[in-house]
Amino acid sequence: MSEISFRDAFKAAMVEALTEDSRVFLMGEDVGHYGGCYAVSKGLLDDFGAQRIIDTPLSESGFVGAGIGAAIGGMRPIVEIMTVNFSLLALDQIINNAATLRHMSGGQVSVPLVIRMACGAGKQLAAQHSHSFEGLYAHVPGLKVLYPGTIGDARYMLKMALADPDPVIIFEHVMLYNQTGTLPETDNIAPMEKAVIRKTGTDLSIITWGGCLYKAMQAAEQLEEQGYNIEVVDLRCLRPLDRDTIIDSVRRTHKALIVDESWKSVGMSAEISATLAEQALWYLDAPVRRICGIEVPTPYADHLEKASLPQVPQIVEAAVQMLQSTIPTPEVK
Amino acid sequence: MSSNKLHVSREHLHFLLKQMIRIRRFEERCVTLYSEEKIRGFLHLYNGEEAISVGVMQALNSQDAVLATYREHGHALARGVPMNDIMAEMFGKQTGCSGGRGGSMHLFDISRRFFGGNAIVAGALPLAVGLALADKMQQRPVVTCCFFGEGAVAEGEFHESLNLAKLWQLPILFICENNRYAMGNALELEESNQNIYLKAANYGLASQVVDGMNVVDVEAASQLACTAIRNGAGPHFIECQTYRFRGHSMFDTQLYRSSSEIDEWKKMGPIIQLTHWLKSNHQIEAEELQAMEQAVDREIDAAVADAENAAVEPLEGLLTHVYAEAPHE
């Protein structure tokens, strides 16, 4: 049981993959000589050489497409995109090729590709380096979308993603890289497509993932001090979405609060709300609430940026309002 | 004769002619089937450009990889994908080479290393880079051959891919089928520099332009390029100058070009050219040509009958092939 940072957990996962499987290689902008924009791949070039740690030109569409081609050709590429906003330059390859080739070919083509990308706000990087587009990718059949929010998932999800025969996108929130935690044993890691209940409770379910998980956990602790028993559901995988775990949690707590760093409209939080409306309406004792990113391109100024993101006090406040709500359960006749 | 001319046998020339006639007549039958509503969707025909896929394919072996565009019936046929499988795909049948999921624009046959059928202009070029990268990393001595039109040259992915291919010295043969129109946009409205092969040369690729209407010239250039690529000379680029005899797709009134221009190009067509040469050099008898055409027609008739009779995918199969395993949702 050792204490490590998310950065080191992500790196250790790559070291393990590169060591155990000669088909694995890492490719992306500044992953080699520079050591990675967020220093996740620092030192890998020295350890594994330029054949397997490949610095690419600034050609997102080109090198993501090359990753898809290499995956088809029998390799197990890890393609790093420096930041989620840059991945938009490779949307054509990700959506038109990676997500479609298996289906379009009648099942003949497999794309066992892993794409890692940094995402999320909190470092005052403004409107072209800070967004949360996991919902955009989770919209697309053919892709799998992972968003580790714990040290264990940061360390062990890559291995599961590389073992998957389909393209997997892994989001890494930039505010997590420096956070540290205790590394669990491998055996404790759930399959990658399963949501995990990080804290059990009976009064209200906070449903979240990735960069908002620690905020939800902090909020839950504060609510415990106020005497409430809060459950925290970590989705981990946004496509396919583990709807059963969400519904099962709400069935027990009767209240659902969704925390999503991305914009509220037409995103993951809306999808989860719709799922609850469709499949869990009669379990709910209060309207579903959502704490989401404010609908603005992420601003630079510190106070504006903070105000645009879900914060712990907001989560606590919303939860308390829901918990104190006297709205009775509609009588079902 | 220059040294890059092939010394080809009579039999080989007959083979090339037959392959081109197969493609031409297949395309013509598709027009009929389209008007009969047996084939739907977009249908992009290859008439006039047959010499390119047929010529290039002679330089490739069964281990080489091929990627093509949405105008790829000819490439699939020339690569050896069975005509029945292609026609069944056009009909949207279960027995089609893409199980009825792809249609005209997405023909796949991985057993023949035919990787589609890509309907995003320039979208296959990065894939070709990746396939070749995988081959290089695994030390497989094969060539990846990527076909695209001159319209792709205006896309960023073209430039990114050529740069990567040369930067990493990858075993790729890029074949630009320059038919002078990107849909309805003429070359002079597409490109500031209309010498496309020079763009590749600027990225350091060995690059040349050939008469895409001359199947022997295309084959000769491809053989030399593939030999060089197999010997580690890195990516090569061939611009094949050609012309599309029919519209961009079946929904094209061709307002952007004159019928006299089309007629002029048709006189230089690859099948006419080769047939004329064979006849004037007494290398083919009228009966041989007739037998060849009849054999092709029989093959097409059989493919159509087979496609007509083939089963459609049951609706229960709708969600298959989205993932390797259907997710639990």
Side-chain angles (χ1 to χ4, degrees):
Chain A
M1 300 280 271
S2 57
E3 188 91 353
I4 67 167
S5 67
F6 275 77
R7 175 180 291 102
D8 289 339
F10 285 124
K11 181 180 171 181
M14 288 199 285
V15 168
E16 178 186 49
L18 287 157
T19 305
E20 290 185 353
D21 189 344
S22 63
R23 300 171 303 172
V24 172
F25 68 98
L26 173 68
M27 163 165 75
E29 292 158 350
D30 282 316
V31 297
H33 294 87
Y34 192 96
C37 181
Y38 292 97
V40 178
S41 55
K42 196 174 170 187
L44 296 187
L45 178 62
D46 290 339
D47 293 344
F48 295 97
Q51 302 297 312
R52 301 184 69 200
I53 307 297
I54 303 175
D55 279 320
T56 66
L58 311 186
S59 307
E60 285 82 2
S61 204
F63 69 75
V64 170
I68 298 166
I72 296 168
M75 301 299 288
R76 289 293 179 275
I78 303 170
V79 174
E80 177 177 311
I81 299 176
M82 196 178 275
T83 178
V84 67
N85 292 76
F86 303 171
S87 77
L88 303 182
L89 291 159
L91 266 187
D92 169 47
Q93 288 299 325
I94 298 172
I95 295 178
N96 284 324
N97 281 335
T100 63
L101 281 167
R102 178 184 298 283
H103 185 255
M104 217 159 58
S105 67
Q108 295 179 77
V109 177
S110 276
V111 184
L113 167 72
V114 173
I115 299 173
R116 297 172 40 242
M117 57 179 103
C119 66
K123 289 190 176 291
Q124 287 192 259
L125 298 175
Q128 293 181 337
H129 284 75
S130 304
H131 287 136
S132 293
F133 291 133
E134 64 270 20
L136 191 158
Y137 289 103
H139 182 61
V140 182
L143 302 178
K144 295 186 177 181
V145 177
L146 307 183
Y147 202 151
T150 64
I151 287 286
D153 283 348
R155 172 65 183 83
Y156 296 115
M157 266 186 154
L158 178 70
K159 186 172 191 167
M160 296 186 272
L162 283 167
D164 197 280
D166 289 303
V168 180
I169 300 175
I170 302 179
F171 288 95
E172 301 175 5
H173 198 290
V174 295
M175 297 304 282
L176 296 182
Y177 283 134
N178 287 332
Q179 291 189 22
T180 57
T182 305
L183 188 65
E185 299 299 323
T186 329
D187 295 347
N188 297 335
I189 301 299
M192 73 178 199
E193 294 174 14
K194 291 292 290 179
V196 167
I197 301 197
R198 297 295 177 193
K199 179 184 173 308
T200 54
T202 52
D203 297 338
L204 178 145
S205 298
I206 300 179
I207 300 156
T208 191
W209 59 92
C212 283
L213 178 62
Y214 73 95
K215 294 178 179 177
M217 294 299 284
Q218 285 173 19
E221 279 170 34
Q222 291 180 21
L223 289 159
E224 290 287 325
E225 288 162 14
Q226 297 181 36
Y228 299 112
N229 190 214
I230 305 299
E231 180 145 307
V232 178
V233 182
D234 173 9
L235 295 181
R236 303 170 76 236
C237 180
L238 303 175
R239 178 179 273 273
L241 187 59
D242 181 1
R243 297 176 205 268
D244 290 348
T245 298
I246 298 170
I247 292 162
D248 186 59
S249 174
V250 171
R251 196 202 317 257
R252 286 181 285 100
T253 64
H254 309 292
K255 291 186 173 68
L257 172 60
I258 303 160
V259 183
D260 178 358
E261 182 169 316
S262 186
W263 300 306
K264 184 185 275 185
S265 308
V266 202
M268 277 311 301
S269 71
E271 176 62 27
I272 297 159
S273 301
T275 298
L276 293 171
E278 287 169 341
Q279 299 181 46
L281 188 65
W282 309 118
Y283 303 130
L284 289 169
D285 281 351
V288 170
R289 285 282 299 268
R290 293 185 277 164
I291 302 294
C292 298
I294 302 301
E295 311 225 0
V296 59
T298 308
Y300 161 70
D302 185 48
H303 66 297
L304 295 176
E305 184 186 42
K306 282 197 170 74
S308 76
L309 303 172
Q311 303 294 353
V312 175
Q314 280 175 285
I315 302 170
V316 171
E317 185 187 359
V320 169
Q321 285 171 359
M322 293 173 74
L323 290 158
Q324 293 178 346
S325 154
T326 52
I327 303 169
T329 309
E331 212 173 305
V332 186
K333 289 185 176 165
Chain B
M1 259 194 177
S2 68
S3 61
N4 67 345
K5 287 288 178 192
L6 278 182
H7 295 282
V8 287
S9 66
R10 185 178 191 274
E11 289 68 31
H12 186 63
L13 290 172
H14 283 207
F15 174 78
L16 295 176
L17 180 63
K18 185 177 179 186
Q19 291 304 305
M20 294 197 293
I21 291 173
R22 277 179 86 225
I23 295 170
R24 178 70 58 89
R25 295 202 167 201
F26 180 90
E27 298 292 60
E28 291 299 341
R29 184 67 66 90
C30 285
V31 173
T32 309
L33 293 164
Y34 196 87
S35 59
E36 292 170 1
E37 302 193 0
K38 301 285 187 185
I39 299 174
R40 298 277 80 194
F42 279 135
L43 185 67
H44 306 90
L45 302 174
Y46 197 54
N47 302 43
E49 308 183 32
E50 297 89 345
I52 302 171
S53 65
V54 171
V56 171
M57 229 56 90
Q58 307 314 311
L60 303 178
N61 64 44
S62 63
Q63 297 307 305
D64 296 331
V66 180
L67 298 98
T69 70
Y70 49 86
R71 194 182 303 287
E72 90 287 29
H73 309 162
H75 307 79
L77 287 166
R79 181 58 177 171
V81 181
M83 190 185 282
N84 286 23
D85 299 0
I86 299 171
M87 191 59 88
E89 188 60 32
M90 304 291 223
F91 276 61
K93 296 296 181 74
Q94 194 178 31
T95 54
C97 61
S98 303
R101 268 79 169 178
S104 161
M105 298 192 284
H106 307 298
L107 304 173
F108 284 80
D109 185 345
I110 302 314
S111 68
R112 292 174 177 81
R113 293 185 57 75
F114 189 76
F115 292 96
N118 200 303
I120 304 298
V121 173
L125 276 81
L127 300 183
V129 169
L131 279 162
L133 178 64
D135 288 331
K136 188 175 182 180
M137 285 176 154
Q138 294 167 101
Q139 296 172 336
R140 288 192 293 247
V142 303
V143 172
T144 294
C145 178
C146 185
F147 293 88
F148 50 91
E150 92 291 342
V153 176
E155 295 281 3
E157 287 181 335
F158 170 88
H159 299 272
E160 294 186 9
S161 299
L162 263 59
N163 182 50
L164 289 171
K166 183 60 189 175
L167 195 62
W168 296 340
Q169 199 67 0
L170 299 176
I172 308 181
L173 177 58
F174 290 104
I175 301 291
C176 178
E177 302 177 318
N178 178 3
N179 68 18
R180 312 190 69 79
Y181 290 91
M183 208 161 144
N185 211 29
L187 186 58
E188 50 273 24
L189 301 177
E190 294 180 69
E191 288 298 325
S192 57
N193 178 350
Q194 290 144 29
N195 294 305
I196 285 165
Y197 75 101
L198 291 179
K199 296 171 196 282
N202 262 338
Y203 287 109
L205 281 79
S207 182
Q208 62 174 315
V209 58
V210 303
D211 176 5
M213 294 301 199
N214 185 322
V215 67
V216 176
D217 281 2
V218 174
E219 180 180 345
S222 304
Q223 294 283 13
L224 286 173
C226 283
T227 302
I229 295 167
R230 291 186 211 285
N231 288 330
H236 279 53
F237 189 100
I238 303 175
E239 174 191 346
C240 301
Q241 296 196 332
T242 185
Y243 198 80
R244 155 165 66 67
F245 291 170
R246 284 188 163 272
H248 168 75
S249 71
M250 297 303 285
F251 305 103
D252 183 357
T253 49
Q254 305 195 60
L255 300 172
Y256 51 86
R257 61 183 187 180
S258 66
S259 56
S260 61
E261 180 185 300
I262 300 171
D263 291 341
E264 281 308 304
W265 276 94
K266 279 185 173 174
K267 289 178 196 163
M268 300 181 280
I271 296 175
I272 284 181
Q273 262 199 59
L274 181 56
T275 309
H276 177 75
W277 188 93
L278 287 166
K279 281 180 177 171
S280 53
N281 287 280
H282 310 293
Q283 295 296 318
I284 196 163
E285 304 297 328
E287 303 77 53
E288 286 178 296
L289 185 58
Q290 196 183 12
M292 194 182 279
E293 290 170 342
Q294 285 169 347
V296 166
D297 287 344
R298 281 195 300 274
E299 186 188 9
I300 295 171
D301 288 342
V304 172
D306 195 61
E308 291 270 15
N309 295 327
V312 293
E313 177 87 7
L315 278 182
E316 298 77 63
L318 179 62
L319 282 173
T320 55
H321 308 315
V322 179
Y323 296 96
E325 283 177 47
H328 173 68
E329 266 202 78

